[in-house]
Amino acid sequence: MSVLLQIGRRPPEPDPPTDVEAGPLGLGAEAKVFRSAHGAHLFIADGSRIYDLPDDTTAARLEAWTATARDPAQDAALAAELGLPMWGGEGLPGPRIDGTPAEVPPLASLSLNVMQACNLSCGHCYADEGRFGGSARAMSRETAFAAVDRLLSEAAPGAGVVVGFMGGEPLLARDLVHEVTRYATRAGTAAGHAVRFALTTNLTTVRPEDAELFATHPFTVAVSLDGDRAGHDALRRSPGGGSAYDRLRAGLEVLRRHGRPRHLSARVSVTPYTGRLLDILEHGIGLGFDEVGFAAVVSAPTPAYEIDTAAFTGFLEQMIACGEAALSELSAGRPYPFGNFQTAMYELHAGGHRPYPCGAGAGYLSASAEGGLYACHRLVDDPAFRMGSVAEGPDQGARAGHLAARHVDRAEPCQSCWARYLCGGGCYHEVSRRGRPGCDYIRGWLAFCLRAYIELGQAAPEFFRQAAVSDLPADPAALAR
């Protein structure tokens, strides 16, 4: 008889048993004991399932269990005694995720690097002002339209698709952005695909006609923000002089007066020079963004802007401080759009678990200005992640090889980590440049999120009825940030 009571949402239905040999039961790679204000709990990696534990004695036994060396016989005995729903036991199905690589899915999202140049100079920019180590260049109208056609032809029948605009600064190619938006809308309707749009910008050059475009069509707009005026201008320099922050504020006023996108988010790239995160978060919320989120700069053209292993400790402390503020406000029924926290809460509630960090190289590709296809917008012009071309189509072999090589259960040290199906193994761009310096940070952040999920669910269960994960426009890797 089970002594465990599952809490939260219904878990996903088990997948049918596979031909892949199941690994040994649990331990540190498969389960984690954690505590909240409401007692002790058990997180099971397979299916991201969360259970209440009946008492601290059981919690202590499980903590000792997860800390010991593997002994399949003892694992099975303890699992049977406690009724642990682990895979691999007699009469139980196989794991929901095993080492089998995902099949290459139809294309669902394609970002266009319409302008690989920028009007600002930021040392922490992963894209090197959009040049990716090369020269500034712009996408032609022919390439952009062909990229839209390629996306529509590669998408699943009737599926919705997303066209993204990236740079550099994509609004330096505003005429092309407008043309492509209108063309994709018409072509998508004719082909039976609903088309949504995304654009990432520094918001310093936005015009009324851009705001009207964002309001008329289903746009998600992400704005780069680095703090208040002093903090923002310290990291974002305008070659022509003047305050980049003042121009951003002017851009927000343009959106307020002429049209606001369906979702307007602020993304803060955290460097060793970034100020106190809670102050920046509340500043961004005060500016009226629908969501404010943080991402550590792990790889940058100028290494001085990178967060190293030691700095991740302070980053975690500040992220948890922001999370505690969000937990307090949301528990009281007040809105507090901290993007990293909200995404984590919805993902945990839905039982999100995946063997990859995001859809890069799978359902998502990015087109360079010249029409090359790459795994994502951060990997443009990297030959190791080239995956075809707009003209010839996606390279299915390269995509399949990417998914086979980067499955989280085939990576070290990922396969021995309890958080692997929430993290997915880390951003491909960052891992390829720096490895995985933030693993302890990711585990610490997710451990906090597990506790917060229990406490928020008790204090404000209505929070989880307000939106579904599929409604969130956040970056798919945000959970682990």
Side-chain angles (χ1 to χ4, degrees):
M1 178 176 177
S2 173
V3 298
L4 299 179
L5 299 175
Q6 183 161 6
I7 63 174
R9 72 286 177 272
R10 180 180 178 181
E13 293 298 324
D15 293 332
T18 68
D19 294 332
V20 177
E21 182 180 355
L25 281 169
L27 302 186
E30 305 301 337
K32 177 176 177 57
V33 174
F34 67 99
R35 290 170 172 78
S36 75
H38 302 284
H41 318 276
L42 179 70
F43 171 80
I44 300 238
D46 178 42
S48 295
R49 290 168 287 168
I50 302 172
Y51 295 83
D52 277 330
L53 295 175
D55 51 53
D56 201 62
T57 299
T58 303
R61 288 186 67 192
L62 287 170
E63 284 179 313
W65 177 61
T66 58
T68 60
R70 288 179 180 269
D71 183 335
Q74 291 184 10
D75 292 348
L78 184 58
E81 177 187 344
L82 298 178
L84 288 176
M86 304 291 282
W87 46 265
E90 183 178 354
L92 294 176
R96 290 169 173 80
I97 298 176
D98 54 38
T100 304
E103 294 185 2
V104 178
L107 198 60
S109 179
L110 182 66
S111 62
L112 313 183
N113 286 268
V114 292
M115 178 58 72
Q116 293 189 214
C118 188
N119 62 317
L120 298 182
S121 180
C122 311
H124 62 300
C125 176
Y126 69 85
D128 185 30
E129 300 178 28
R131 299 188 302 262
F132 295 92
S135 58
R137 52 212 185 274
M139 181 176 283
S140 69
R141 182 177 183 273
E142 292 73 23
T143 298
F145 280 29
V148 171
D149 293 340
R150 178 61 64 185
L151 171 62
L152 297 175
S153 68
E154 297 286 340
V161 297
V162 177
V163 174
F165 299 102
M166 302 292 297
E169 172 49 55
L171 289 181
L172 296 182
R174 68 171 28 83
D175 290 345
L176 183 60
V177 170
H178 284 247
E179 284 189 89
V180 169
T181 300
R182 291 190 292 266
Y183 176 76
T185 301
R186 293 194 305 270
T189 299
H193 297 284
V195 183
R196 293 181 292 124
F197 301 92
L199 182 139
T200 299
T201 176
N202 57 40
L203 209 64
T204 61
T205 64
V206 67
R207 297 176 182 174
E209 59 265 32
D210 304 323
E212 293 166 2
L213 183 80
F214 301 154
T216 302
H217 298 273
F219 261 88
T220 291
V221 174
V223 177
S224 300
L225 177 71
D226 288 308
D228 59 11
R229 191 175 192 272
H232 191 83
D233 286 345
L235 289 170
R236 296 185 179 272
R237 302 188 182 280
S238 175
S243 168
Y245 179 83
D246 289 348
R247 295 168 69 183
L248 183 152
R249 291 294 299 267
L252 287 174
E253 179 64 16
V254 170
L255 296 183
R256 187 191 69 80
R257 294 176 58 190
H258 298 281
R260 185 183 177 93
R262 293 192 181 184
H263 190 88
L264 181 65
S265 66
R267 176 186 172 90
V268 182
S269 298
V270 181
T271 77
Y273 308 105
T274 300
R276 184 169 176 259
L277 298 192
L278 185 56
D279 293 340
I280 297 173
L281 173 60
E282 295 191 340
H283 182 75
I285 293 173
L287 291 178
F289 287 102
D290 299 315
E291 174 189 347
V292 181
F294 298 102
V297 175
V298 177
S299 177
T302 304
Y305 291 100
E306 296 174 344
I307 298 289
D308 60 18
T309 302
F312 267 111
T313 300
F315 181 49
L316 174 60
E317 292 171 354
Q318 292 204 53
M319 284 289 286
I320 290 177
C322 293
E324 293 284 13
L327 176 60
S328 176
E329 292 298 299
L330 294 170
S331 294
R334 295 185 290 268
Y336 198 84
F338 177 23
N340 305 71
F341 183 84
Q342 292 195 154
T343 300
M345 294 301 101
Y346 287 124
E347 285 272 6
L348 288 171
H349 195 67
H353 62 295
R354 58 185 183 272
Y356 303 100
C358 62
Y364 168 56
L365 295 175
S366 188
S368 69
E370 295 86 358
L373 293 179
Y374 296 85
C376 85
H377 55 278
R378 300 188 70 173
L379 293 164
V380 165
D381 291 345
D382 185 335
F385 290 91
R386 185 178 174 97
M387 297 188 176
S389 68
V390 167
E392 298 179 2
D395 183 332
Q396 303 299 78
R399 295 168 76 193
H402 166 80
L403 294 174
R406 293 173 175 85
H407 191 292
V408 72
D409 280 334
R410 298 185 172 198
E412 284 290 356
C414 303
Q415 61 181 312
S416 59
C417 177
W418 63 266
R420 65 191 182 281
Y421 299 143
L422 298 177
C423 165
C427 167
Y428 300 129
H429 175 264
E430 293 172 357
V431 170
S432 68
R433 270 66 172 175
R434 292 278 312 282
R436 296 182 172 90
C439 290
D440 287 341
Y441 156 73
I442 291 170
R443 282 187 289 266
W445 169 247
L446 291 175
F448 162 75
C449 288
L450 287 170
R451 171 176 70 81
Y453 171 69
I454 301 295
E455 295 176 3
L456 182 59
Q458 292 290 323
E462 66 278 3
F463 170 83
F464 296 101
R465 295 191 288 268
Q466 294 174 357
V469 175
S470 59
D471 296 328
L472 297 176
D475 176 11
L479 177 62
R481 288 177 178 160

